[in-house]
Amino acid sequence: MSALPFVFTSPFILFGLLALPAIWWLLRLTPPRPKTEIFPPLRILATVLKREETPSKSPWWLTLLRMALAAAVIFALADPVINPRNATLAGSGPLVLIVDNGWAAAPDWERRVRTAQALIGDAERAERPVAIAFTADRDHDAEPGTTAAALEKLAAAKPQPLVPDRIRTAESVIEALNGTAPGTLAYITDGVATPNDRAALSNLATMQSAEFRVVEGDGQAISAITGAENGAETMSVSLSRLDTSGPANLTINAQDSQGRILATDTATFAPGAAETKAVLSAPFELRNDFARLSVERIATAGSVHLLDDGFRRRRVALLAGETGNDFQPLLQPLFYISRAIQPYVDLVPQRQADLSVAIPELLQSNPSVIVMADIGRLPQETYAPIQRWLSQGGTLIRFAGPRLAAAPTDDPLVPVTLRQGERALGGSLSWAEPQPLADFPNFGPFAGMPKADGVHIKRQVLAEPTPDLAERTWASLADGTPLVTTRNVDAGRIVLFHVSAEASWSDLPISGHFVEMLRRIVQLSQVGGSSASANAPTAALPPYRLLTANGALSPEIGTARPLDVKPGQSPRASFDNPPGLYGTEAGFVALNLLPPDAVLRPLDTSLAGTATTREGLVGEAAKSLRPALFIAALLMLFADSLIVLFMHGVFSRLPRTRTSAAAAILLTFAAGLTLFSPDIARADDPKPGDEAIFERLDTTHLAYVRTGEDDVDRISQQGLQGLSEFLTWRTTLEPGEPVGLDISKDELAFYPIIYWPISSTAPMPSTAAISRIDAYMRAGGTVLFDTRDQFSSLEIGGNTSPNSQRLQEILANVDIPPLEPVPKDHVVTRSFYLLNNFPGRYTGSPLWVESRQDAAKTTSGISSSADGVSPIIITGNDFAGAWAIDANGAPVLPTVPPDEVQREHAFRTGVNIMMYMLTGNYKADQVHVPDILQRLGQ
């Protein structure tokens, strides 16, 4: 790539500038200006016989104009070019093009594409094959091929929300070339280092290319969130950047699941610093609503950090059988527990010694976890509220002690049946020695933790042997007796440590394993709702929402596989598991792009072990100044001609037409500008509003009637948006954005169907507006009226709702055909899905359509022509309420009764209605009957 921003394609023509002095001398000569005088005839003859006059000099400014015209022509012929390229490739082998298309390439992807296109253009001019590969793609087809094939691959490529796998790409390129040495090996890199760069670059160097060219951007937009910690008072966010040349300030936003910004802070990078932190200050409850962290004005998968239920801070309530002594804190039953979990949770201490008062008081704070240290028998009236709290998802953690060992064995709040009394290990009255812990099993929250060496158990409560005791044991002693047991209670869980919470029974409370064990159990608890990992910590979670390279959540899951969540292991983003949310709407796990505490480092190309040529991405495309120079020369020629005409008095001889001549000259000049300048408007330019009309004609749009009530119109817009996305997902139809219509003035003919939510409190449409709807239905359009009241009778005078009465008023002067509920054999029941009913948010209303039995007899002008499509459809089931989704794709309104199957059928109803609108009676043909009967099992 040339370092000069400006070159001449034909520089030898510039030698013509040497002729400018001669041109200057010639252009100074100009005929004298003729004079007009009135003389007698003889005087005129005498004047004619005078000697010949020599021309006088032309004005300096006219000469300068002509010199500029000549120079403009010479420069135009030399063809000056801005941002030129040297189309030179080294060697004689193929061009090998390796492109980083990971997350860091997203901000300047278009420039990377232009750079690759320029290199492919160089190869086309040199008639060389091109091999192209993308480092963040799952599969590689790096076989050298034509430049046209390479351009097709480049056009189909896009940034991926992944870290590039360079070594895998290098191996694929080496295998594809099969020993052929490349001419130029161009690596368009994002500039971010990865762990396998040394091996990847070394492999590329072994190809012995004639030139190894490294192309990279400036890296100023490459910044990422590398971690977040939800502390007791604030949330700390870790960030890293690639370009450390100067200071930088980044704005960090914390958003909830609806996309609303709940907190913000500025992260400041000092000059030369690659890492920094931001602090988000917000109350505990508000921080638990954070769903994602993002860097403002930087749209990449690395600048977004997703949060799930496991990230939220839990509220943990502490209870003890005895309050202890403040003068001996190490002997207090809750001392080690509070110290172990205080950094990760919000503690709710016990304020009342009376458990019958303390337990209801703690339950009012809605804790996620209740910890009981050595409590044997609870007050009878507290069992019921605790069990209700457990069934709703609470986690109860209990510790043994003398009180629990002496308690009755029928306690419902322990996970296993206990033997009364305690087991002593070691001491003068026992033959057994204190027992160490066994390896943690490969299931449960402790899986993956190292063996707790140095921890010995001196006392414990024993569990009665049962067939499922091993399944309920999360930790055990070396002799096989349980140390930690568990049991699920509906949505909640009971966990029992068979030792005390202080160091009198074991060394566990004073070990680091105690902290990690409690932290993992607390993380399994629920926070204000269900948790994806609460009941199945080892389950493989399906992809729910995935991040795009631009940092947006998308329901498109592509080839992503379920995420295998293993206890004690943090999953990493990969080709099989891209970053995003895994699970279901009820609960999910967040998988972020970068591992915790990652640091962005620049790529060290010296690791290739060979000389490399470094260059930047191309800026603007090469642009020739030849057309502009020729236009300038032509305009100067026009100006010169006009000046000469004025100097010769042409316009002074026509005094009466001076104004007309000037106008004609101005029109000629404007016409020249219009002809040669694309920026000046022309007579055939599109008129205002034409673009909207063309867009409506080019793409199918769902439309709704704006009633004038904001709530109703918003639900209509969100409902049709949800149906449009569902149609795009399930069918080949890809509708555009929904359109709200003012039926009194907007054009209606662009839309195959118009959804009209009826509201008795909305203004009554004018007679002219109803007439326009009447004309629309007569022309073949369909209006879907939705009274949203589950009303099932259309008879006037019946027990009608206000919305149904308003509908009757609207249709009173419309010549509608006879209506009937959709028959079982109607086309709308099988236009796409096979449906038996047509629910929306409600299920109580039938779907009314034109009566096909009476259609042939009716004289209505709007009942026949539209290929069997009913011009009017009526329901009361509130379709838009069931279809409505928010910006994140979540339903806005619940169905009645709450049932996601009903919502799915509502979407299918919308699909069938749309296909019915667009295909008419196509599915009524007999050719489809065998397939439909086979689907029905008949």
Side-chain angles (χ1 to χ4, degrees):
M1 184 180 296
S2 174
L4 297 175
F6 183 89
V7 298
F8 291 92
T9 304
S10 304
F12 61 91
I13 296 180
L14 295 177
F15 286 106
L17 296 175
L18 299 176
L20 287 180
I23 296 175
W24 171 273
W25 182 79
L26 291 174
L27 292 179
R28 292 181 61 196
L29 304 179
T30 182
R33 179 179 178 180
K35 298 180 179 179
T36 303
E37 296 182 3
I38 301 175
F39 291 106
L42 294 178
R43 185 67 179 269
I44 295 175
L45 293 175
T47 304
V48 171
L49 296 176
K50 284 185 176 182
R51 68 182 184 277
E52 182 180 357
E53 295 180 355
T54 58
S56 63
K57 299 178 181 180
S58 64
W60 66 269
W61 49 268
L62 181 60
T63 303
L64 182 62
L65 175 65
R66 293 172 177 175
M67 291 286 291
L69 190 154
V73 172
I74 294 173
F75 278 115
L77 293 176
D79 192 12
V81 178
I82 298 177
N83 296 324
R85 284 187 51 81
N86 290 334
T88 56
L89 297 178
S92 58
L95 168 66
V96 176
L97 192 57
I98 299 176
V99 182
D100 277 344
N101 63 327
W103 68 274
D108 53 1
W109 177 248
E110 294 301 326
R111 290 186 63 194
R112 296 175 185 275
V113 170
R114 290 200 299 268
T115 302
Q117 289 172 341
L119 289 169
I120 295 173
D122 295 346
E124 182 177 15
R125 287 186 287 273
E127 298 183 350
R128 298 190 189 180
V130 178
I132 185 170
F134 301 91
T135 58
D137 283 358
R138 180 190 295 269
D139 301 315
H140 301 286
D141 180 13
E143 292 287 341
T146 63
T147 55
L151 288 174
E152 288 183 5
K153 294 179 183 178
L154 181 63
K158 60 181 181 179
Q160 303 293 332
L162 297 168
V163 175
D165 190 346
R166 292 167 178 152
I167 187 169
R168 186 165 169 263
T169 306
E171 292 171 352
S172 300
V173 171
I174 293 173
E175 181 181 356
L177 265 66
N178 194 22
T180 302
T184 294
L185 194 161
Y187 179 22
I188 304 178
T189 176
D190 56 23
V192 181
T194 62
N196 55 14
D197 287 342
R198 179 183 296 275
L201 295 175
S202 298
N203 287 348
L204 293 177
T206 60
M207 300 176 66
Q208 299 181 348
S209 59
E211 178 190 23
F212 193 165
R213 189 182 299 182
V214 178
V215 186
E216 60 183 337
D218 53 20
Q220 292 182 356
I222 302 179
S223 300
I225 298 177
T226 57
E229 182 179 351
N230 198 359
E233 301 295 335
T234 60
M235 178 179 292
S236 176
V237 183
S238 301
L239 297 99
S240 181
R241 63 170 179 166
L242 184 64
D243 181 18
T244 60
S245 57
N249 294 319
L250 299 179
T251 301
I252 311 302
N253 293 327
Q255 299 168 291
D256 63 5
S257 59
Q258 306 295 325
R260 295 169 296 193
I261 297 178
L262 303 181
T264 185
D265 188 49
T266 300
T268 301
F269 287 94
E275 299 176 80
T276 190
K277 288 184 179 292
V279 178
L280 299 172
S281 299
F284 160 76
E285 292 80 5
L286 195 61
R287 280 184 281 122
N288 275 354
D289 287 337
F290 290 176
R292 60 183 278 158
L293 308 173
S294 60
V295 181
E296 195 171 277
R297 294 190 179 91
I298 298 181
T300 66
S303 66
V304 172
H305 191 81
L306 301 175
L307 307 176
D308 56 19
D309 187 67
F311 181 81
R312 302 174 185 174
R313 288 181 70 86
R314 274 67 171 168
R315 178 174 283 129
V316 177
L318 303 179
L319 281 172
E322 57 180 357
T323 58
N325 192 331
D326 291 338
F327 296 102
Q328 294 178 317
L330 297 181
L331 299 181
Q332 291 185 6
L334 297 175
F335 177 82
Y336 295 104
I337 296 175
S338 60
R339 295 301 188 277
I341 62 176
Q342 189 173 16
Y344 313 107
V345 302
D346 283 349
L347 295 178
V348 182
Q350 178 182 351
R351 302 184 184 279
Q352 300 288 338
D354 185 354
L355 294 181
S356 63
V357 177
I359 291 177
E361 183 180 88
L362 292 177
L363 290 176
Q364 287 181 357
S365 65
N366 192 25
S368 300
V369 179
I370 295 179
V371 179
M372 294 184 180
D374 191 20
I375 295 179
R377 187 187 297 273
L378 293 172
Q380 189 62 37
E381 65 272 17
T382 63
Y383 280 97
I386 289 179
Q387 289 175 328
R388 284 195 301 270
W389 172 78
L390 279 171
S391 63
Q392 294 171 0
T395 298
L396 176 63
I397 303 177
R398 301 191 66 174
F399 284 85
R403 296 172 181 269
L404 182 62
T409 59
D410 58 350
D411 190 344
L413 296 181
V414 293
V416 294
T417 303
L418 299 178
R419 293 182 178 179
Q420 197 165 22
E422 60 191 67
R423 176 196 184 195
L425 301 172
S428 58
L429 299 180
S430 174
W431 293 94
E433 294 293 331
Q435 288 287 311
L437 271 63
D439 292 332
F440 294 107
N442 57 3
F443 63 90
F446 308 147
M449 287 182 58
K451 185 178 180 180
D453 293 330
V455 175
H456 292 83
I457 307 302
K458 294 174 285 188
R459 288 178 180 271
Q460 69 176 143
V461 292
L462 292 174
E464 292 285 354
T466 58
D468 60 347
L469 181 60
E471 299 174 2
R472 296 186 180 184
T473 301
W474 282 351
S476 59
L477 305 186
D479 62 2
T481 56
L483 175 65
V484 181
T485 55
T486 184
R487 175 170 63 91
N488 292 334
V489 180
D490 295 331
R493 175 181 286 110
I494 301 174
V495 179
L496 173 64
F497 282 77
H498 290 240
V499 294
S500 64
E502 27 78 30
S504 61
W505 282 30
S506 70
D507 301 329
L508 182 62
I510 57 176
S511 69
H513 285 77
F514 186 68
V515 177
E516 182 65 15
M517 292 169 74
L518 282 179
R519 189 187 68 83
R520 293 194 180 196
I521 295 174
V522 170
Q523 286 299 105
L524 291 181
S525 63
Q526 302 182 23
V527 182
S530 59
S531 170
S533 60
N535 296 321
T538 61
L541 304 176
Y544 172 54
R545 294 285 190 273
L546 298 182
L547 272 181
T548 65
N550 294 325
L553 280 175
S554 170
E556 298 294 332
I557 61 175
T559 58
R561 298 182 179 179
L563 180 66
D564 189 11
V565 181
K566 296 181 179 179
Q569 298 183 9
S570 298
R572 295 292 183 94
S574 64
F575 292 109
D576 292 334
N577 300 121
L581 303 178
Y582 289 79
T584 63
E585 184 179 0
F588 45 77
V589 168
L591 177 62
N592 288 295
L593 173 68
L594 300 177
D597 301 324
V599 180
L600 301 183
R601 301 294 185 191
L603 174 66
D604 184 5
T605 55
S606 65
L607 299 175
T610 185
T612 59
T613 302
R614 304 180 70 92
E615 61 186 42
L617 300 174
V618 299
E620 298 295 330
K623 183 177 181 180
S624 175
L625 295 180
R626 173 182 287 182
L629 290 172
F630 273 128
I631 291 173
L634 182 60
L635 295 177
M636 286 187 284
L637 179 61
F638 284 159
D640 182 86
S641 301
L642 292 175
I643 292 171
V644 171
L645 291 176
F646 272 108
M647 292 177 63
H648 285 241
V650 173
F651 300 105
S652 63
R653 300 175 186 176
L654 302 172
R656 295 182 181 180
T657 60
R658 182 176 303 172
T659 304
S660 301
I665 293 170
L666 290 177
L667 288 175
T668 304
F669 186 72
L673 287 178
T674 304
L675 179 64
F676 295 101
S677 177
D679 297 328
I680 298 180
R682 301 174 183 173
D684 58 347
D685 281 349
K687 299 178 181 179
D690 286 355
E691 293 183 0
I693 293 176
F694 292 147
E695 197 272 338
R696 298 289 189 270
L697 294 174
D698 184 61
T699 304
T700 300
H701 293 265
L702 306 186
Y704 64 93
V705 174
R706 292 201 298 265
T707 63
E709 295 185 340
D710 293 341
D711 292 343
V712 176
D713 294 344
R714 183 178 65 256
I715 293 299
S716 298
Q717 192 276 333
Q718 292 175 329
L720 295 190
Q721 180 66 40
L723 180 59
S724 298
E725 294 186 8
F726 192 89
L727 285 164
T728 302
W729 181 30
R730 296 290 182 90
T731 72
T732 56
L733 177 64
E734 298 182 2
E737 292 293 324
V739 178
L741 298 177
D742 182 350
I743 58 175
S744 63
K745 60 182 180 181
D746 289 340
E747 179 57 55
L748 309 180
F750 300 146
Y751 313 101
I753 185 171
I754 297 175
Y755 177 79
W756 190 337
I758 303 299
S759 175
S760 61
T761 58
M764 179 69 181
S766 65
T767 303
I770 295 177
S771 298
R772 298 183 83 241
I773 286 292
D774 189 2
Y776 166 77
M777 292 192 292
R778 290 177 183 275
T782 297
V783 180
L784 172 56
F785 294 96
D786 194 340
T787 60
R788 305 174 296 122
D789 57 1
Q790 306 184 72
F791 187 65
S792 60
S793 174
L794 297 178
E795 298 179 0
I796 299 177
N799 185 19
T800 59
S801 68
N803 287 357
S804 295
Q805 292 177 1
R806 172 56 62 86
L807 176 60
Q808 292 175 3
E809 295 172 2
I810 292 174
L811 300 180
N813 296 320
V814 177
D815 186 18
I816 63 174
L819 304 177
E820 65 175 353
V822 172
K824 293 183 179 179
D825 59 346
H826 198 278
V827 177
V828 77
T829 64
R830 57 178 183 270
S831 58
F832 194 86
Y833 293 103
L834 297 177
L835 300 177
N836 295 323
N837 57 0
F838 306 94
R841 191 180 174 208
Y842 313 115
T843 60
S845 173
L847 188 66
W848 294 83
V849 295
E850 177 186 3
S851 175
R852 303 314 303 161
Q853 295 88 338
D854 299 330
K857 303 176 184 179
T858 182
T859 59
S860 171
I862 63 172
S863 62
S864 57
S865 61
D867 198 16
V869 176
S870 175
I872 182 172
I873 301 176
I874 301 177
T875 184
N877 285 336
D878 191 8
F879 285 165
W883 301 334
I885 60 172
D886 59 18
N888 295 315
V892 174
L893 299 174
T895 60
V896 180
D899 185 7
E900 288 306 310
V901 176
Q902 178 178 326
R903 192 183 304 278
E904 172 70 18
H905 285 183
F907 276 111
R908 294 186 178 188
T909 296
V911 172
N912 274 28
I913 291 175
M914 276 303 300
M915 294 305 171
Y916 173 56
M917 294 300 103
L918 298 175
T919 62
N921 58 10
Y922 167 72
K923 282 296 181 72
D925 295 342
Q926 291 297 313
V927 69
H928 298 284
V929 171
D931 293 332
I932 294 175
L933 291 177
Q934 183 179 2
R935 290 287 306 276
L936 291 173
Q938 301 179 5

